[in-house]
Amino acid sequence: MLQSMTGFGRAEQAVGDKVFLVEVKSLNGKQFDLRITIPPLLKPFEFDIRNVLQEKLVRGSVECIIYIKQNGSAQPVTINKELAKAYYQPIAELSQELNLNPGDVLSALLKLPDVITPTNNVLSDEDWTGFEQVLLSAINQLKEHRIDEGKSLQDELELRIENIILHAEKIATLEPQRQQRIREGLIKTLEDNVGKENYDSNRLEQELIYYIEKIDITEEQVRLKNHCNYFKSILKEAEEGKGKKLSFIMQEIGREINTTGSKAYDSEMQKSVVLMKDELEKAKEQVLNVL
């Protein structure tokens, strides 16, 4: 079953005197691209958090935001004076330019990020274990969304590939008539310009065979069908992370369709080629979101 790269997960749970809230969302992307916002208390574990996210989500543009709320008795805090001083100058200048009361500057400073932090900035092993479960819960919820959307993606891709196969089968039925029309057209052109008695019919037959072999599309049609069947078999595989493989197969399908179009020299066949290209482009848009 396919998985989409789009999903959202949210988990909140109390662990000891803290409440951990984790929000994770992902969109499609060629590689694993992570943006993470974590509180200072979890900074020492950032590398571990990144590893868990990459291992579980594999690919996509991922954003993870983590909040910690104190639950229970008040905790001692410290004021980062250097950071507050750095904030003060631009705030004071702005306050003066806007003719605001400078007495409000301190209250604004204390609300800025990381100016006030808990004194106890060490997360215990027990709290880390509890937080990890919250993180995994949010990730699992996101993966459920990916699976649900993946079902729709699979249905859409199967439809597009089946349509390509149907158009290819129509082209196969047109092939005998196409060759006959080409043969008759070349003979008529030669007779009109040279005269029926002024050419060697045996030599003409040899040249016709050579020409028709050059524009024969049998090999392209066989390869196209094989690529489409391979694509459908990949869709049914249980493994994760099939998006890149499906994209590569689509490139091969596109090559066979283009070659068929360049050799067709037939208006009815060209119509089917255009329709196959349209189906392929629709499929490509969907594959971009496959994990």
Side-chain angles (χ1 to χ4, degrees):
M1 181 63 68
L2 288 186
Q3 288 189 37
S4 167
M5 278 189 279
T6 302
F8 177 78
R10 185 181 188 276
E12 182 174 1
Q13 183 178 330
V15 179
D17 61 350
K18 303 173 184 63
V19 176
F20 291 104
L21 171 60
V22 179
E23 293 182 351
V24 188
K25 65 178 180 180
S26 70
L27 300 172
N28 63 311
K30 291 184 178 181
Q31 307 294 334
F32 180 80
D33 179 28
L34 175 63
R35 289 176 295 163
I36 185 169
T37 303
I38 61 176
L41 193 63
L42 285 170
K43 283 291 183 181
F45 300 93
E46 181 174 351
F47 185 74
D48 298 304
I49 294 170
R50 286 179 176 273
N51 282 345
V52 171
L53 288 164
Q54 183 166 10
E55 179 185 353
K56 299 296 183 181
L57 299 181
V58 183
R59 194 159 73 101
S61 180
V62 179
E63 182 177 7
C64 178
I65 302 176
I66 302 170
Y67 306 93
I68 298 180
K69 296 182 259 184
Q70 290 297 140
N71 181 27
S73 60
Q75 298 292 321
V77 298
T78 59
I79 297 178
N80 189 332
K81 295 180 180 180
E82 295 302 319
L83 182 60
K85 291 176 182 178
Y87 281 138
Y88 172 76
Q89 188 63 33
I91 293 177
E93 291 176 359
L94 180 62
S95 176
Q96 186 175 4
E97 290 178 9
L98 299 177
N99 295 320
L100 299 176
N101 184 358
D104 296 333
V105 173
L106 180 60
S107 62
L109 279 176
L110 296 178
K111 296 177 183 178
L112 292 172
D114 299 332
V115 172
I116 297 180
T117 57
T119 300
N120 180 18
N121 57 359
V122 178
L123 196 69
S124 68
D125 291 340
E126 184 179 352
D127 285 350
W128 161 251
T129 301
F131 165 76
E132 194 173 19
Q133 295 306 310
V134 181
L135 177 63
L136 290 173
S137 179
I139 291 173
N140 289 336
Q141 189 179 112
L142 184 149
K143 292 182 73 172
E144 289 176 4
H145 285 183
R146 282 183 162 188
I147 291 171
D148 289 340
E149 188 171 336
K151 294 175 183 177
S152 300
L153 285 175
Q154 181 157 342
D155 291 341
E156 178 72 11
L157 288 170
E158 287 177 345
L159 173 63
R160 299 306 168 193
I161 295 300
E162 286 296 337
N163 287 343
I164 290 174
I165 292 174
L166 289 175
H167 292 308
E169 290 173 349
K170 182 178 180 181
I171 287 176
T173 64
L174 296 171
E175 177 63 3
Q177 297 95 320
R178 177 187 76 120
Q179 291 189 8
Q180 185 61 31
R181 283 196 297 270
I182 291 173
R183 174 188 290 272
E184 292 173 353
L186 289 172
I187 292 174
K188 186 176 184 305
T189 301
L190 188 61
E191 290 178 352
D192 291 344
N193 290 275
V194 178
K196 190 173 183 179
E197 296 81 13
N198 297 327
Y199 63 85
D200 185 340
S201 59
N202 291 330
R203 177 63 185 275
L204 174 62
E205 191 66 26
Q206 293 175 2
E207 294 296 333
L208 284 173
I209 292 172
Y210 173 74
Y211 179 74
I212 290 175
E213 284 180 349
K214 283 187 65 176
I215 62 171
D216 181 67
I217 58 172
T218 303
E219 290 185 9
E220 285 76 11
Q221 291 299 287
V222 170
R223 287 196 295 266
L224 176 59
K225 186 175 182 180
N226 289 340
H227 292 327
C228 289
N229 289 334
Y230 183 42
F231 188 95
K232 291 194 296 182
S233 70
I234 296 297
L235 287 179
K236 297 176 182 178
E237 291 181 357
E239 66 172 305
E240 291 186 359
K242 296 182 283 189
K244 289 183 178 180
K245 187 183 293 186
L246 293 174
S247 181
F248 293 148
I249 300 171
M250 280 196 166
Q251 291 178 21
E252 298 302 319
I253 292 174
R255 287 192 183 96
E256 304 306 333
I257 293 174
N258 289 333
T259 305
T260 299
S262 66
K263 287 185 174 183
Y265 297 108
D266 182 89
S267 60
E268 290 301 316
M269 279 192 178
Q270 291 290 2
K271 291 179 184 178
S272 294
V273 168
V274 170
L275 292 173
M276 284 195 292
K277 288 183 177 181
D278 182 53
E279 296 292 339
L280 184 64
E281 288 303 313
K282 291 176 181 177
K284 284 181 177 179
E285 291 177 5
Q286 301 300 324
V287 164
L288 288 175
N289 203 32
V290 175
L291 179 64

